Amino acid sequence: MGEAVGVIGLGVMGAPMARNLLRAGHEVTVHSRSQGPVQRLVEEGAAAAATPGELAGRADVIVAMLPGEQVTAALLDGDEGLWAGARAGSILVDMGTASPGWARSLAELGAERGVAVLDAPVSGGDAGAQQGTLSIMAGGEAADVQRARPVLEALGTVTHVGEHGAGQTVKLCNQLVVGGTIALVSEALVLAAQAGVDPAQVIEVLSGGLAANRVMELRGRNFLEHDFEPGGKASFQHRDLGMALDAGRELGVPLPVTAVVDQLYVALVAAGGGELDHSALITVLERLAGRG
Amino acid sequence: MGEAVGVIGLGVMGAPMARNLLRAGHEVTVHSRSQGPVQRLVEEGAAAAATPGELAGRADVIVAMLPGEQVTAALLDGDEGLWAGARAGSILVDMGTASPGWARSLAELGAERGVAVLDAPVSGGDAGAQQGTLSIMAGGEAADVQRARPVLEALGTVTHVGEHGAGQTVKLCNQLVVGGTIALVSEALVLAAQAGVDPAQVIEVLSGGLAANRVMELRGRNFLEHDFEPGGKASFQHRDLGMALDAGRELGVPLPVTAVVDQLYVALVAAGGGELDHSALITVLERLAGRG
């Protein structure tokens, strides 16, 4: 028999993650505000918990996959909240993207209640969640990462990157490189198009040298065909760049390139593109060049 | 017997390119301002020309690999200049990085003299020049690219990307992605280090996902160990970003991210780092964060 795992948050990431935990033989309890995903997972063998507290009461490892700090915070307190039900000695693994400061606060709140906390954000998107190939960046105590491994390895590859908050720091580093790369590829493609050069050839030639990157490899077609079905939503990318800049402010690390990339995402979200894939940033550069 | 090829400019790129043309069986004549490289190539079977005009007089295909437009321009005119000696029906292949506007002017000057001109800048650096694995981005008439192919294929892979200037446009796109990626990786590594996270782990984790890029793959060690032996010189990267921004101004394409990256290279060159590898940009970000 596997471990008693609770999964809270059954969105585009959380639902397939819960499914992979079931497949790996764990005893899975789920909770979500929308009942559709709960019903489907119950049909596949999960138990449903009516409240976060009930879920926590049944789990040795609680996996939270929620869209932001505020949503997570709202589920913690009160009679039906997660802390009310959580067992001493259990582990809460917060897998949504959040600030490193939030990760440290959550770890302190957990410690007061005898609950170990890990920050363990992921990269790999919905495809990685479905295939169980997420890259999981874990921050917290080494012993707790070790205890959570049998559960997390059903979801992807786990790297312990440091203390509480370190997982979120690495995730923000990931996001600033991804968002920035999207912006650079966009600038190159718009410059080429305006000069009369076929952008498809630019991607082909650049992919053969030092300019090669995974964004061009996996999203090249999306840039060229303006297919912006997400993938990674622009609004999340924008939120994550904001957190990277906040972390930089806090630590005294100027991030001048990321600051400009963030401004371009402000423009994309302002133009109504928040629900598009983050590669839709190219439309902002096209509009700036009068090609929109 | 191969073709009669003239190679003008025998620096870190030109000399190994001339060597590869000799190995491929071409009849190679060389010219350079420094006599050391000329002597070595003569020992290996090349002929030496005393002037650009003499070189042009012996060549069906002239390969110019010079450090910038001004240097190339200075070799064209006068009694001993390239145009004075060039045969009608020959091809001048300008392989140094230059502006698309320069490429178009050079093509017009050649056309007046019956000399076909191609802009054919390269990526792949000195290693690519030595191994004959350069990525060559050719702009100009398709028929002329076809005629030059037997020569250029001794140097690397040729892609015909469009009309005169298109090769340089694609090269500038390459450079803005490379320089920008170096800046993004630098920001990520400095943010992580200041947060107490091991930068080596950041490179490892990011390389497994959408943030992966060739810069981290090939230069990761250089960032971590501060080994800035070039490679691609920062001063050339800076010059190329300037040309990309000029091309953007001319075409009406704002390049906000590249503009900031360029400013960081201004700082690197101002601090005396022009002769270092372009990955030395991380030292600018470190100094901004008080870690210099």
Side-chain angles (χ1 to χ4, degrees), chain A residues 12-129:
Chain A
V12 67
M13 299 294 289
M17 288 163 67
R19 199 159 286 124
N20 282 327
L21 289 165
L22 278 171
R23 283 186 195 137
H26 296 296
E27 193 179 324
V28 177
T29 303
V30 298
H31 173 80
S32 182
R33 276 188 293 189
S34 25
Q35 289 311 301
V38 171
Q39 272 320 109
R40 277 190 290 282
L41 280 155
V42 166
E43 285 161 22
E44 296 173 40
T51 65
E54 186 186 332
L55 176 131
R58 294 194 205 163
D60 293 319
V61 177
I62 305 162
V63 169
M65 195 56 178
L66 297 159
E69 299 171 11
Q70 285 82 355
V71 176
T72 308
L75 300 174
L76 296 177
D77 297 320
D79 289 352
E80 300 188 336
L82 198 140
W83 295 137
R87 309 178 188 175
S90 65
I91 307 183
L92 169 60
V93 188
D94 187 15
M95 301 189 74
T97 300
S99 68
W102 163 259
R104 286 187 294 268
S105 311
L106 193 63
E108 281 172 29
L109 292 171
E112 290 166 12
R113 292 157 175 90
V115 177
V117 176
L118 299 175
D119 51 303
V122 303
S123 75
D126 51 349

Side-chain angles (χ1 to χ4, degrees), chain B residues 45-90:
Chain B
T51 65
E54 187 187 331
L55 177 133
R58 296 194 203 163
D60 293 320
V61 177
I62 305 162
V63 169
M65 195 58 179
L66 297 159
E69 299 171 12
Q70 285 82 356
V71 177
T72 308
L75 300 174
L76 296 177
D77 296 320
D79 290 351
E80 300 188 336
L82 199 141
W83 294 138
R87 308 175 187 176
S90 65

Side-chain angles (χ1 to χ4, degrees), chain A residues 210-212, chain B residues 178 181-182 185 213-220 223:
Chain A
L210 195 55
Chain B
V178 169
T181 304
I182 288 171
V185 172
N213 57 63
R214 194 69 53 81
V215 165
M216 282 198 299
E217 186 187 329
L218 298 183
R219 294 279 186 278
F223 286 106

Side-chain angles (χ1 to χ4, degrees), chain A residues 137 160-161 173-174 176-177 180-181 184 187-188 194 201 205 209 211-214 251-258 260 288-289, chain B residues 137 160-161 173-174 176-178 180-181 184 187-188 194 201 205 209 211-214 251-258 260 288-289:
Chain A
M137 305 154 231
H160 181 213
V161 293
C173 290
N174 186 81
L176 80 81
V177 172
T181 303
L184 291 168
E187 289 194 355
Q194 190 79 352
Q201 278 202 319
V205 173
N213 57 63
R214 194 68 53 80
L251 294 163
V253 179
L255 302 170
V257 181
T258 300
V260 172
L288 285 175
Chain B
M137 306 154 230
H160 181 213
V161 293
C173 290
N174 186 79
L176 80 79
V177 172
V178 169
T181 304
L184 292 168
E187 288 193 356
Q194 191 79 352
Q201 278 203 319
V205 173
N213 57 63
R214 194 69 53 81
L251 294 164
V253 179
L255 302 170
V257 181
T258 300
V260 172
L288 286 175

Side-chain angles (χ1 to χ4, degrees), chain B residues 200-213:
Chain B
Q201 278 203 319
V202 173
I203 290 180
E204 194 191 319
V205 173
L206 267 55
S207 297
L210 195 55
N213 57 63

Side-chain angles (χ1 to χ4, degrees), chain A residues 153-167:
Chain A
E153 282 175 350
L155 307 176
T157 307
V158 185
T159 309
H160 181 213
V161 293
E163 303 187 348
H164 295 294

